[in-house]
Amino acid sequence: MARHRNVRDFEDDDLYGQSVEDDYCISPSTAAQFIYSRRDKPSFEPVEEYDYEDLKESSNSVSNHQLSGFDQGKPVASQSSRSESEIVPKVAIMTVSGKKQTMGFEVPGVTSEENDHSFHTPQKGPPSEDVSIASSDVLETASKSANPPHMIQASEEQSSAPASVKKSGKLRQQIDVKVELEKRQGGKQLLNLVVIGHVDAGKSTLMGHMLYLLGNVNKRTMHKYEQESKKAGKASFAYAWVLDETGEERERGVTMDVGMTKFETTTKVITLMDAPGHKDFIPNMITGAAQADVAVLVVDASRGEFEAGFETGGQTREHGLLVRSLGVTQLAVAVNKMDQVNWQQERFQEITGKLGHFLKQAGFKESDVAFIPTSGLSGENLITRSQSSELTKWYKGLCLLEQIDSFKPPQRSIDKPFRLCVADVFKDQGSGFCITGKIEAGYIQAGDRLLAMPPNETCTVKGITLHDEPVDWAAAGDHVSLTLVGMDIIKINVGCVFCGPKEPIKACTRFRARILIFNIEIPITKGFPVLLHYQTVSEPAVIKRLISVLNKSTGEVTKKKPKFLTKGQNALVELQTQRPIALELYKDFKELGRFMLRYGGSTIAAGVVTENKELEFIFKN
């Protein structure tokens, strides 16, 4: 095919009537040999001319002997193409000293005469950085060009195939995840713990003091927090600053986002999530609770404070409902600030009576709920059983750390397809970007290909970080940070779900769900606007259809096409979101099938996905 030539200002190095920018009309390796620049100042070595008879004799021995000397440097061509036989020897006599030509593939040297091929332009090969023109290399190049294109292509495939297989085998080395998990954790099981409760119940102080007593915070850091909190006029907030790290949280004295850290007990590795208690930050609390296996509910034992959090408008009730609806079945209730009521047994029993009745209604079993009297500020009954006579005379139970250690870890979905819901996206040093989140199912290794939904974009895992330590793999239950390459960070948002390309998660805008209505003042009707909270997603939605009212215990349909839904009812509805979200059915993935509905700043319902309607989302081909 003819190639247009760009006519520019010709320079001295413009040989053969061709501009330098058009070098690649021939293969890069041939261009490196036959086209040169005088700026490189090549040194030429004169070579004697030989007759055609000598050339013919030398060409017969090329296939059996290694090419050396200038006698074998004559290119071979047919007598009819006289112009080529005149040009090529003159180019072949040029040698650039001090440089060596490297070729991307090797084909045994055979002359074009033996293969009954005339001299033609070689096939395109990989470009070379070093440039040299040795007469022996020219003939070898000519003999390679005599081979048919499919032979060169086949040789390239053969040479590259073993390397690619070896590389992929290294990246996707099959591992026994269960065995490796035991090795990594030293036999300790993983547990994700969320701390919840009404605002100012002492959650951050309680857990901050526990971390300090466990040695996770050194004395120098703790002393710094004490001095800084005194200067700010918040001396009692020193332990809370262990988990409340941002300036705004410390200034306002409330937790605003989920703080995450790690500590170990005798038999467990605990990932601690400190959730905010203020009603303005309930969406953040839902994000933390959705990633938890067990929970610690902190209540304030002070007179009037427990009642404020427990009665209407308080967050103690709502937090209890939320964690149960999000799949948490084991709960430890830390009755905090007991030192302010002088460790009174009557006050403790009053709180446990009211709260125990409510938690039973919320769906918790009595055997899965434990009440523990504590003091976060003094550190009483946190990691060791209290020695205070006021407490020991009537309480003989476990301390808070022992109760956390006694929790049963849930069954991990390691054998299911990989799923990770994005909790945060940020740009890190180096190439690519980072995402954080909890692996809900499956496992992942460095080098794996992932699919992000709903953007429907693929990327490669460059690195995995677990608790600030780089690892080669991670499995279900781990809170990880992944470094990804091959994708634009703009396309990823909080709430996207990463999965395996072969077993992707479905994205949709319409789905059916079974919901349980909480205490609401306004009946739910068709077209009712809600805010859907699903894992780390917060998406506006509309209840498009009220399909039926169900019996709570049996699930049977009691009424079809109801006009409205009131508090306490169990119903089947159809929801529509503004943007596509990645969902799984509750029967397939319990972790990814639950969601919450909020309206007007309060939680009005909890639900599970029963049917994924046809997408209104166009995938890329």
Side-chain angles (χ1 to χ4, degrees):
M1 180 177 177
R3 181 183 174 93
H4 292 289
R5 193 180 118 218
N6 295 328
V7 179
R8 301 181 181 87
D9 295 333
F10 287 94
E11 297 179 355
D12 294 337
D13 60 353
D14 192 13
L15 294 179
Y16 314 123
Q18 175 189 351
S19 72
V20 179
E21 279 77 10
D22 281 341
D23 289 346
Y24 288 86
C25 61
I26 57 178
S27 76
S29 59
T30 309
Q33 293 175 344
F34 287 92
I35 297 178
Y36 70 101
S37 173
R38 290 185 179 178
R39 297 188 188 95
D40 295 333
K41 298 181 180 179
S43 60
F44 300 123
E45 298 178 6
V47 181
E48 297 180 6
E49 296 287 343
Y50 286 87
D51 295 333
Y52 182 73
E53 297 297 329
D54 297 335
L55 174 63
K56 187 173 182 181
E57 291 177 3
S58 63
S59 64
N60 291 332
S61 61
V62 169
S63 58
N64 299 324
H65 300 281
Q66 185 178 359
L67 297 177
S68 64
F70 295 110
D71 293 338
Q72 297 172 350
K74 293 285 185 178
V76 180
S78 63
Q79 292 182 355
S80 60
S81 56
R82 182 175 180 82
S83 60
E84 289 180 353
S85 64
E86 291 176 354
I87 295 173
V88 175
K90 293 181 180 179
V91 178
I93 64 174
M94 297 184 294
T95 302
V96 180
S97 60
K99 295 183 180 180
K100 183 178 180 181
Q101 174 69 27
T102 58
M103 302 301 294
F105 50 84
E106 285 192 13
V107 179
V110 182
T111 61
S112 59
E113 187 175 334
E114 289 174 343
N115 286 305
D116 295 325
H117 287 287
S118 61
F119 185 88
H120 67 291
T121 304
Q123 296 296 315
K124 186 172 182 179
S128 174
E129 295 178 359
D130 296 334
V131 181
S132 68
I133 304 177
S135 57
S136 60
D137 290 339
V138 173
L139 185 54
E140 187 177 352
T141 305
S143 65
K144 287 176 182 176
S145 67
N147 290 305
H150 67 272
M151 290 180 63
I152 297 178
Q153 186 177 1
S155 65
E156 284 181 319
E157 290 176 358
Q158 289 176 1
S159 62
S160 62
S164 62
V165 170
K166 184 178 180 181
K167 186 177 181 182
S168 62
K170 183 179 180 182
L171 294 175
R172 277 304 294 178
Q173 182 182 3
Q174 293 299 322
I175 60 172
D176 189 338
V177 181
K178 294 180 180 179
V179 174
E180 292 295 329
L181 271 174
E182 291 183 2
K183 289 181 182 178
R184 186 183 73 187
Q185 298 167 358
K188 294 186 177 182
Q189 296 173 311
L190 179 67
L191 199 66
N192 296 301
L193 171 74
V194 65
V195 183
I196 57 174
H198 187 64
V199 63
D200 289 337
K203 300 182 293 298
S204 297
T205 300
L206 183 78
M207 302 315 295
H209 201 157
M210 177 185 283
L211 291 172
Y212 172 67
L213 294 175
L214 287 170
N216 290 53
V217 182
N218 58 49
K219 291 184 178 180
R220 177 181 293 180
T221 305
M222 198 66 243
H223 180 70
K224 183 182 75 170
Y225 290 157
E226 289 173 357
Q227 296 301 317
E228 290 177 353
S229 60
K230 283 181 182 178
K231 289 181 181 178
K234 302 175 184 290
S236 62
F237 283 72
Y239 292 112
W241 284 17
V242 173
L243 291 167
D244 295 342
E245 296 179 342
T246 65
E248 189 175 0
E249 284 181 326
R250 293 180 177 182
E251 184 180 349
R252 295 177 61 172
V254 295
T255 304
M256 298 170 63
D257 204 353
V258 178
M260 193 174 295
T261 187
K262 170 194 141 185
F263 67 92
E264 294 188 14
T265 64
T266 308
T267 61
K268 305 283 192 306
V269 177
I270 308 292
T271 301
L272 172 66
M273 291 169 285
D274 181 31
H278 199 282
K279 63 180 181 180
D280 291 348
F281 308 111
I282 285 287
N284 294 341
M285 178 265 162
I286 294 174
T287 298
Q291 302 176 53
D293 304 320
V294 297
V296 172
L297 174 62
V298 182
V299 296
D300 191 342
S302 304
R303 296 286 176 184
E305 292 297 326
F306 169 74
E307 288 73 15
F310 186 69
E311 301 302 330
T312 305
Q315 301 307 305
T316 303
R317 283 176 176 269
E318 187 170 4
H319 282 204
L321 281 172
L322 284 171
V323 293
R324 183 64 192 92
S325 302
L326 291 168
V328 174
T329 57
Q330 300 175 80
L331 186 70
V333 180
V335 184
N336 197 26
K337 303 184 183 180
M338 281 293 290
D339 52 341
Q340 294 190 9
V341 294
N342 298 320
W343 305 96
Q344 293 178 4
Q345 184 179 5
E346 295 77 12
R347 180 61 174 168
F348 181 76
Q349 291 176 342
E350 179 187 353
I351 292 171
T352 56
K354 289 182 179 179
L355 204 52
H357 179 68
F358 165 73
L359 293 174
K360 187 176 180 180
Q361 287 182 333
F364 287 98
K365 296 179 181 178
E366 289 186 20
S367 58
D368 291 334
V369 179
F371 294 88
I372 302 151
T374 61
S375 173
L377 192 61
S378 65
E380 203 71 34
N381 211 32
L382 292 185
I383 67 168
T384 56
R385 299 190 184 187
S386 175
Q387 302 299 320
S388 173
S389 58
E390 293 178 329
L391 178 61
T392 53
K393 65 183 179 183
W394 58 268
Y395 180 77
K396 307 295 183 183
L398 303 176
C399 67
L400 183 59
L401 186 66
E402 290 173 336
Q403 180 59 45
I404 293 172
D405 194 39
S406 67
F407 282 136
K408 299 175 183 177
Q411 189 69 30
R412 304 292 179 194
S413 305
I414 296 174
D415 299 328
K416 291 184 178 181
F418 177 77
R419 298 287 186 269
L420 180 144
C421 196
V422 178
D424 193 13
V425 186
F426 58 93
K427 190 76 174 72
D428 202 4
Q429 295 178 352
S431 61
F433 61 94
C434 294
I435 62 164
T436 59
K438 178 192 171 188
I439 301 177
E440 298 292 347
Y443 68 96
I444 190 172
Q445 294 176 255
D448 282 358
R449 295 285 294 173
L450 292 182
L451 175 68
M453 294 296 289
N456 197 35
E457 296 282 341
T458 57
C459 60
T460 305
V461 180
K462 185 180 177 182
I464 306 173
T465 304
L466 177 64
H467 299 304
D468 298 326
E469 297 178 1
V471 294
D472 294 327
W473 63 274
D478 291 336
H479 287 265
V480 296
S481 175
L482 303 181
T483 303
L484 306 176
V485 293
M487 184 190 295
D488 194 345
I489 189 174
I490 299 175
K491 297 180 181 179
I492 299 300
N493 298 317
V494 172
C496 291
V497 177
F498 279 87
C499 55
K502 294 182 180 179
E503 297 174 289
I505 190 172
K506 294 179 181 178
C508 67
T509 56
R510 292 175 74 103
F511 63 93
R512 289 187 179 182
R514 180 176 175 175
I515 63 172
L516 174 64
I517 312 297
F518 296 153
N519 293 330
I520 55 172
E521 298 177 359
I522 306 172
I524 295 176
T525 58
K526 180 181 177 181
F528 194 85
V530 293
L531 195 62
L532 174 73
H533 290 275
Y534 167 77
Q535 291 290 320
T536 56
V537 181
S538 179
E539 185 70 23
V542 174
I543 297 177
K544 298 294 289 184
R545 291 177 61 195
L546 304 179
I547 299 170
S548 60
V549 177
L550 307 174
N551 185 294
K552 282 186 179 180
S553 56
T554 63
E556 295 178 354
V557 176
T558 59
K559 185 178 181 181
K560 291 184 178 180
K561 296 183 180 179
K563 297 293 183 183
F564 58 89
L565 301 173
T566 58
K567 66 178 181 179
Q569 284 187 318
N570 203 327
L572 188 66
V573 299
E574 187 172 306
L575 293 103
Q576 181 173 358
T577 56
Q578 291 184 2
R579 296 178 297 180
I581 58 174
L583 288 169
E584 288 281 9
L585 301 185
Y586 180 73
K587 64 179 182 179
D588 298 331
F589 282 84
K590 288 188 176 182
E591 302 88 349
L592 295 169
R594 300 185 182 97
F595 64 90
M596 311 297 298
L597 298 179
R598 286 174 58 81
Y599 173 78
S602 61
T603 306
I604 62 170
V608 295
V609 181
T610 59
E611 185 179 348
N612 198 335
K613 303 297 285 183
E614 192 66 31
L615 287 199
E616 297 176 10
F617 181 64
I618 300 174
F619 290 96
K620 291 195 316 181
N621 292 327

